[in-house]
Amino acid sequence: MEHTGGDLALIGASLRSNTEEDADATAILIRAGRIELVGTDEEVAEAAAQFGIDTRDVAGATVTPGLFDSHTHPHWAASVTAGLDLGGLETIKELRAALAAEHARLPEGAWLRGWNLEYEAFEHTGLRGDLLADAAPGRPIALICYDLHTGLATAPALAAAGITGARDFDDASEIVVDAAGNPTGELREPTAYNLVFDAAPKPAHDEERDALRDMFRRLASVGLTGGAIMDGKDATVELLAELEERGELDHRLTVHHWHAVGDTDADVERVIAAKDRAGRLWQTGAIKLFSDGVIDTGTAWLHEPDACGDGRAAFWPSWERYGEVVRAYHDAGMLIATHAVGDYAVSRVLDVYASLPERDGLPFHSIEHLEVLSDADVEQLRGSGATASMQPLHMQWRSSDGSDTWAKRLGEGRNSTGYRVRDVLDAGATLVLGSDWPVAQYDPRIGMAWARGRHTPGDPSANVFEPAQRLTGEEALLAYTLWPARARGHADRGVIAIGAVGDLTVWGADPVETDADALPAVPITLTVVDGRVVHEA
């Protein structure tokens, strides 16, 4: 089936175009998915009438280029969030009660799946499946922590996955065992916990496809018009192609293929061979790798050990192999994103990036998260060409008194080096923002509010973390629009200009001028992708 973009005219708008042209423009005409005219209401209405295009008066609403989430996992989220949301449950008692209620609801034989599990409930016991097992007697329970780096399983789930003890993995993943060598249920990093989740019953193909379609529609409802999928698989690409063929794809996407540490040279060649596969609204040609884990479990790679003595191991047993893989994808013309939470991980990734030869006409690579940075790391970013892809809204798990796991592991002093978005920007690096959904909320209004206020949105009295790192309203918007487009080499995205793609977000109030605390409540009245209205309030 041949697909073309939609036709649409918007008048009566206040435009934030991210350009210096058409300062007095109030209207936009899109034909076949591309912006054809930016001008006055009269000019656009006349042109729309000539072509028989629907004209909508947005009555003074603010129109921005479509919002782009630079780090998201919608395919994974469609599966993960089908389970029980455990967010906010801070004690074993609360968790057991929630699991027992879900157990009573589920049919016999079904697995009990849960997500958004927080570490704090297990602060004094460690993550142990036996603490939860009798909330659902005999039923396999498979839970995943909010950061997607740790899983927790009960004995029936471990048995279904054939897990009886520790194993060696190609990466830093781990099946945690007790002194007797018996699995505790804690499974660190995806290679370990996917043994359990892969053993769980799978949805039918149509169910999985429709869940992904509906996920994109949820994202559109908060103004998102696209994103970078950071856990791409062959199945992800097939589903996107099928959705587009059915006319049911409502998002503009770049798929980063997830490279596992154990992938061979043949795997690399296979991915490179498929790098040019694309549709109208989606493209491949990008890679996601890990250099470390997360601070909360001691698997982030840090300049100095954390308070528990952890944090000095890379995700790769051979860092030289990481460099070889990056070079192969770089030489193939692919865009690389590397997960690096710890400060030393950021520095080592930048070392590898600096060794790469120049590629004329192609964008440079990104580092994802950069949760903590030393002053030297910030300076290393300066002039590196690397994009810093960050998520300030992850600060929502920090406590004002430093009692959270993240802060305690980093220790006093170093926890103030977190989420240095202002310093990164001032160093001249390209900054882009995202959610890491389903790790954190996908709503970009919340992401912008955290980047600007650095405290819980809607609570002006809440503790402000490192106030000197706050972004302005304009910078936060640019980090969701123009800057991601530039980072990916797209001259026709992130702007409202003739020839640009017809991706727009229509706001009930100006997101730049609105106070950060009020931003999450600003209505999204329209979301437009490729000239088609995909969400209308």
Side-chain angles (χ1 to χ4, degrees):
M1 182 187 301
E2 183 179 354
H3 295 282
T4 58
D7 301 332
L8 181 66
L10 299 181
I11 63 173
S14 174
L15 303 185
R16 283 204 172 270
S17 64
N18 291 345
T19 73
E20 296 180 358
E21 301 178 3
D22 306 307
D24 298 324
T26 57
I28 306 164
L29 177 69
I30 302 172
R31 292 187 68 203
R34 293 268 172 179
I35 297 176
E36 186 166 294
L37 177 62
V38 180
T40 65
D41 288 358
E42 293 75 15
E43 291 169 337
V44 168
E46 180 180 351
Q50 176 184 349
F51 296 115
I53 294 174
D54 178 36
T55 300
R56 294 173 179 244
D57 188 341
V58 298
T62 298
V63 181
T64 69
L67 302 178
F68 185 91
D69 188 327
S70 291
H71 192 118
T72 184
H73 305 275
H75 188 188
W76 199 357
S79 169
V80 168
T81 60
L84 182 64
D85 185 353
L86 302 170
L89 303 182
E90 298 179 350
T91 67
I92 298 296
K93 181 178 180 181
E94 290 174 334
L95 287 168
R96 286 167 52 85
L99 295 174
E102 184 73 353
H103 171 64
R105 186 189 68 82
L106 289 173
E108 185 176 353
W111 282 49
L112 200 166
R113 300 278 297 271
W115 64 289
N116 217 5
L117 180 67
E118 299 179 12
Y119 294 107
E120 277 66 27
F122 302 91
E123 182 177 1
H124 302 295
T125 63
L127 285 163
R128 287 172 36 201
D130 62 337
L131 297 174
L132 307 175
D134 61 0
R139 188 187 296 277
I141 300 176
L143 313 178
I144 192 166
C145 292
Y146 71 89
D147 58 9
L148 304 184
H149 280 265
T150 305
L152 182 62
T154 57
L158 294 171
I163 295 175
T164 59
R167 297 186 192 180
D168 291 328
F169 295 103
D170 293 321
D171 55 28
S173 296
E174 180 184 0
I175 296 171
V176 178
V177 297
D178 60 20
N182 299 312
T184 65
E186 180 181 358
L187 305 162
R188 295 179 180 172
E189 302 299 334
T191 310
Y193 68 63
N194 278 336
L195 294 172
V196 167
F197 288 102
D198 287 346
K202 300 294 185 295
H205 172 81
D206 289 0
E207 182 182 353
E208 183 180 13
R209 179 199 63 218
D210 292 350
L212 183 57
R213 174 202 64 197
D214 294 344
M215 178 59 65
F216 290 137
R217 292 174 178 175
R218 286 175 63 186
L219 302 182
S221 72
V222 295
L224 286 167
T225 62
I229 296 178
M230 286 290 169
D231 59 330
K233 305 180 287 291
D234 292 343
T236 309
V237 174
E238 296 301 331
L239 288 173
L240 294 179
E242 184 176 351
L243 286 172
E244 188 163 69
E245 179 66 21
R246 293 166 61 91
E248 296 179 341
L249 183 59
D250 298 332
H251 230 50
R252 193 179 299 275
L253 300 152
T254 297
V255 181
H256 286 251
H257 184 91
W258 189 335
H259 178 100
V261 171
D263 285 354
T264 65
D265 288 342
D267 295 319
V268 173
E269 291 174 3
R270 179 181 61 81
V271 172
I272 290 174
K275 70 183 180 65
D276 295 323
R277 190 171 180 194
R280 181 177 177 86
L281 290 178
W282 58 275
Q283 62 187 90
T284 55
I287 294 295
K288 164 71 177 301
L289 307 97
F290 283 79
S291 68
D292 68 348
V294 291
I295 290 165
D296 297 78
T297 61
T299 54
W301 202 10
L302 303 169
H303 283 297
E304 300 293 338
D306 65 21
C308 299
D310 297 321
R312 291 299 296 147
F315 198 67
W316 294 66
S318 168
W319 191 244
E320 289 73 21
R321 175 59 180 169
Y322 167 82
E324 292 172 359
V325 169
V326 166
R327 179 62 186 267
Y329 288 129
H330 174 87
D331 289 349
M334 301 184 76
L335 185 66
I336 298 165
T338 303
H339 167 117
V341 164
D343 44 19
Y344 191 58
V346 173
S347 179
R348 295 304 305 273
V349 171
L350 286 172
D351 287 343
V352 172
Y353 284 1
S355 71
L356 301 172
E358 292 188 13
R359 304 184 303 180
D360 292 338
L362 292 176
F364 198 57
H365 311 303
S366 71
I367 300 180
E368 307 295 316
H369 307 308
L370 306 93
E371 283 191 14
V372 287
L373 293 169
S374 71
D375 290 345
D377 304 324
V378 174
E379 284 305 306
Q380 195 175 0
L381 272 169
R382 190 188 303 274
S384 70
T387 294
S389 174
M390 302 177 72
Q391 300 82 36
L393 79 165
H394 287 192
M395 290 188 290
Q396 65 187 276
W397 293 291
R398 294 175 67 180
S399 300
S400 59
D401 61 359
S403 62
D404 58 282
T405 305
W406 185 90
K408 286 196 293 187
R409 275 197 175 262
L410 287 174
E412 187 174 355
R414 190 159 50 170
N415 58 24
S416 65
T417 67
Y419 306 94
R420 297 176 66 174
V421 288
R422 165 58 55 201
D423 290 341
V424 165
L425 198 57
D426 289 348
T430 298
L431 171 70
V432 299
L433 298 178
S435 66
D436 205 11
W437 167 247
V439 171
Q441 303 94 322
Y442 52 77
D443 192 331
R445 296 169 296 184
I446 298 175
M448 290 183 197
W450 269 101
R452 292 172 54 184
R454 295 181 72 90
H455 68 261
T456 304
D459 183 3
S461 66
N463 181 68
V464 177
F465 298 102
E466 299 83 44
Q469 296 297 324
R470 288 179 289 201
L471 299 183
T472 67
E474 184 176 20
E475 289 165 343
L477 179 63
L478 289 168
Y480 270 98
T481 54
L482 180 61
W483 295 343
R486 287 181 175 174
R488 294 178 176 278
H490 299 303
D492 61 350
R493 304 183 191 181
V495 294
I496 297 174
I498 293 173
V501 296
D503 298 352
L504 305 170
T505 304
V506 183
W507 303 71
D510 187 339
V512 171
E513 297 297 333
T514 299
D515 184 84
D517 282 314
L519 190 59
V522 173
I524 301 297
T525 59
L526 286 179
T527 305
V528 180
V529 175
D530 204 33
R532 297 182 293 112
V533 175
V534 298
H535 163 74
E536 183 169 6

